[in-house]
Amino acid sequence: MRFVTALVLLLAVCGADEHGTRVATWRLTYAVQGLTGAVSSTEFGAIGVTGQGRAWALLQESRRESGSWSWTMLRWEGASWRPTALPKGVRGSDAEFAASPSGDDLWMFTGDRPFQLTGGRWVYRPWAGRFARESVAVGAKDDVWISEYGGPDDYAGAGLSHWDGRSWKPVPKPGTYGYEVSRVAAPGRGELWALIDHLPEGAAVIRRNGSGWATTPLPLKPGCPPSPARGFYGMAARAHDDVWLITQDAAQRSGSCTVPDRGLVARWDGTAWRWLNLPLAATWLPAVRADRVGGVWIAANPAHGQSYVLNFRDGRWSRSTLPAGGGWAGFVDIVPVPGTTRLWALARRVDGTLLIYELA
């Protein structure tokens, strides 16, 4: 049964351009010169969207006259992006937005400073974490999670915090895990999925429902030979029985067994984790997102060819490739509009130009 499922998924993606062609098309809505050179993708910017379709973007724009950079904040006005004032207190790098599944609660993070969109304005919610912000998730209105890591001892410290509408409170991690919580995802109120990475035996995925934790074992990742999974780059939870992970795997060869450098995708279906057999050779997967209506979105930056997004909805895969005009661009961030089949995407060309696309 597992083989049949994987085969169906593989055939669906391989035939997506012919049999799963989307009616939706990409539309370039904004372009600006960003940082040039080799820069971490988290430095480029991020996009956040509410359930009403309102959208914000934080972009790290280049200041040619000074050779420095600064944050620029944009707001989507329904027909175009317009500059808007930065909220007081925005500082640091590594911008990130996170919204509740219904889109009724949108948060913005820069460095270790969280801001909540309240009454149309951004309100600073001071967070006194012990370490640096690692990952964030919003399960519902005023149900927000931050994982953190750091410390003087080779960044061995880790923690977890929760916002309940009044204040941030520390959350005890499972006693058996003293390692970094590298990813969190929340499909609804009171439920949290957390990835404990860099364990000697590989990564572990744990689920919190109420006040208790339960482990959902990850199988060995396919390879030559199969090995413990670790080093995950993204996690998304669409429902309690529909959770996704993305990672990368280096090329391997052992005897007659050969696997290329590739992106890897794992899915929790309510019973077990399974690795999906998808054609992602020489492909970097920078982001995975989920929406209750729009399905699961995976951004893919291949080494050869144009970047594209995969969308799994109603049991079927489709593929939407970025336009080739202007040269190759790689995805930095993708964000579904809650409760719809629309998608916003932030991409970057090799010359540093930042692009905001809408897929609708």
Side-chain angles (χ1 to χ4, degrees), residues 46-49 97 99 289 297 333-338 342-346:
I47 299 176
V49 189
F97 288 89
R289 310 290 185 218
W297 302 85
D333 192 17
I334 58 172
V335 184
V337 180
R342 294 167 50 215
L343 183 79
W344 285 105
L346 176 62

Side-chain angles (χ1 to χ4, degrees), residues 35 61-71:
L35 299 176
E61 293 190 16
S62 175
R63 301 302 182 212
R64 294 184 178 179
E65 63 277 5
S66 63
S68 61
W69 65 269
S70 64
W71 285 120

Side-chain angles (χ1 to χ4, degrees), residues 47-50 54-56 97-100 103-108 115-118 122 138 141:
I47 299 176
V49 189
T50 70
R54 294 182 296 168
W56 282 261
F97 288 89
S100 61
D104 64 346
D105 197 14
L106 179 63
W107 288 70
M108 176 180 69
F115 298 82
Q116 182 182 27
L117 186 64
T118 303
W122 293 99
V138 183
K141 181 73 172 177

Side-chain angles (χ1 to χ4, degrees), residues 128-154:
R130 295 175 57 203
F131 308 112
R133 169 177 58 90
E134 173 73 352
S135 180
V136 299
V138 183
K141 181 73 172 177
D142 287 324
D143 183 31
V144 189
W145 306 82
I146 298 179
S147 71
E148 53 185 300
Y149 77 102
D153 185 16
D154 195 25

